[in-house]
Amino acid sequence: MKAHTKWLTAPLAAGLSAALLSGCGTEQGGGSASGDGVRVGMSDEILATDPAAGYDPGSWLLFNNVFQSLLAFPKGGSAPEPEAADQCAFAAGSKVYTCTLREGLTFSNGNKLTSEDVKFSFERALKIADPSGPAPLLATIDSIETPDERTVVFRLKVPDATFPSKIASGAGSIVDHREYPADALRTDGKATGSGPYKLDSFSETEATFSANSGYRGTAKPKNGGVTLKLYRGDRAALSKALADGDIDVAYRGLSAGDVAALEASDTTDDRGIEVVQGSSAEVQHLVFNMKDPVVGKLGVRRAIAHLVNREALVEDVYKSTATPLYSIVPAGIAGHNTAFFDTYGAPDKAKAKKALREADITGKVKLTLWSTPSRYGPATDQELKAIAGQLNDSGLFDADVKSVAYDQYEKDIAAGTYGVYVKGWVPDYPDADNFTAPFFGEGNVLGNHYENATITGSVLPKTAATADRAATADEYGKLQDIVADELPVLPLWQGKQYAVARDDVTGLEWTLDASTVFRFWELKKG
């Protein structure tokens, strides 16, 4: 997995353990593609329309609505269920995965969808291996066989019980082998899939979608189409568009202050606007370079862990639109524990001082915290300044904050320039594996030179081979305890996911869950 792939791009923290929801009314049951179109705005960009290249929230929003995967995450659920497939099953100790396709599948252009297209799509993503693409998620695939038009057999290099979740994500998007080159990206800005929607037009500022009448799957569209307005990081424009009635839904882009103000306002209901809160699992961590001459010392890292006040951060900086995070695996994901709270407890200056003295450090520790608001939102600088203030108020640190553009930030991390820096994470799929293997496995995305033989040699292989995901809790607990003790990272917060909508829109509660799938088909206007 690449270091710049699914790192958090949301301007808000987004991801809560709690169940759904509050806000807009619930529209339950099935339905056909009818009703008014819905106008959705977001501040993210769509960086790719080709599933072999996109690995960002905006692109995956497009993929999840235009393309089918063999499996998909049901609304409110974390266990993948059949979608383009009629059924799928493991054999040979989680090393062989066989799927049978639904009958009558076609792409939006009328072409028949067969096992040849499935094999082509996965092999293509792996062959192209675009640096900004999802190929790392598919790395356990050894070979793919298609004994007939409806059967696909994946043979894996190693047991991988999370393979169903991986292919239920945007990485599993199925493309038409007649319209996509096998060894290059499609460059015309079009997308041909078999999902519930067709991409009718796409530009830097707008994408339009219409219901796909030939779709065969589990989704039941409740609208005739969606117009997606792209505000490209301009949160003020997004907020104004909602207030002016130019869009029906604002998704991924309002600031923490905007959301908090709307939730607290007595006039929100009068203006016909509702705030909808859902569950997700986006997180943010401080990362420590283990080779740095300052934070490479465990005593310094432990002192920081004893001083950071997460409660103050989420209240003062994020206006309670996030919750404190005390482990690597966030709340709401099976295997979560509270290892960092158990190890370090509430902020304690005396314990921080003791950690430094035990490391023979008697003077103030000079430290720079590195930030990149262009990637993680403007509150990131404010957050790190608050952390620096907490450290300095103890009298044990002399900390400051420096902020750079994202491209330079990633280059400097790769070069080992920074000692302490911030990283956020958007999950690819709602499983503890996706919060551990990318961080602590081989070639991890943190770039902080951390290695632990127990994690890489025992815990990760064992959990990857365990088909019963509930049975992995003890092993993931062990991993989280190790990380809390050795401190290569310090979890900070887990966000809450929000959308703000006009009160004639229903169904938003089914688009905001830990799968991070924004389901166009659940939205209904009027």
Side-chain angles (χ1 to χ4, degrees), residues 32-63:
S32 59
S34 60
D36 295 338
V38 181
R39 301 164 302 167
V40 178
M42 69 177 184
S43 68
D44 288 309
E45 299 178 59
I46 293 175
L47 300 181
T49 57
D50 187 330
Y55 201 10
D56 59 277
S59 298
W60 278 37
L61 181 150
L62 185 152
F63 301 159

Side-chain angles (χ1 to χ4, degrees), residues 339-350:
F340 279 77
F341 187 83
D342 299 342
T343 304
Y344 301 101
D348 191 316
K349 175 182 172 180

Side-chain angles (χ1 to χ4, degrees), residues 441-489:
E442 294 183 8
N444 74 74
V445 301
L446 296 175
N448 67 336
H449 309 289
Y450 174 68
E451 296 179 2
N452 181 281
T454 299
I455 292 176
T456 56
S458 174
V459 176
L460 292 180
K462 187 173 181 179
T463 53
T466 304
D468 179 2
R469 301 311 291 163
T472 62
D474 288 346
E475 288 298 313
Y476 282 123
K478 180 193 299 183
L479 184 153
Q480 291 167 92
D481 291 343
I482 291 171
V483 173
D485 182 58
E486 297 188 348
L487 272 173
V489 301

Side-chain angles (χ1 to χ4, degrees), residues 116-128:
E116 179 182 2
D117 296 292
V118 178
K119 175 180 169 71
F120 173 85
S121 299
F122 284 99
E123 290 183 344
R124 174 176 182 266
L126 286 167
K127 183 175 184 178
I128 294 174

Side-chain angles (χ1 to χ4, degrees), residues 312-379:
L313 289 179
V314 300
E315 182 176 348
D316 298 340
V317 178
Y318 291 98
K319 311 303 179 187
S320 298
T321 60
T323 56
L325 180 62
Y326 292 100
S327 198
I328 298 303
V329 178
I333 301 296
H336 163 78
N337 71 9
T338 53
F340 279 77
F341 187 83
D342 299 342
T343 304
Y344 301 101
D348 191 316
K349 175 182 172 180
K351 290 181 179 178
K353 184 175 182 179
K354 181 180 178 183
L356 292 176
R357 299 301 179 260
E358 288 177 348
D360 295 325
I361 299 171
T362 55
K364 284 189 179 182
V365 178
K366 190 169 179 59
L367 201 63
T368 296
L369 311 179
W370 290 89
S371 174
T372 179
S374 58
R375 182 67 166 182
Y376 304 129

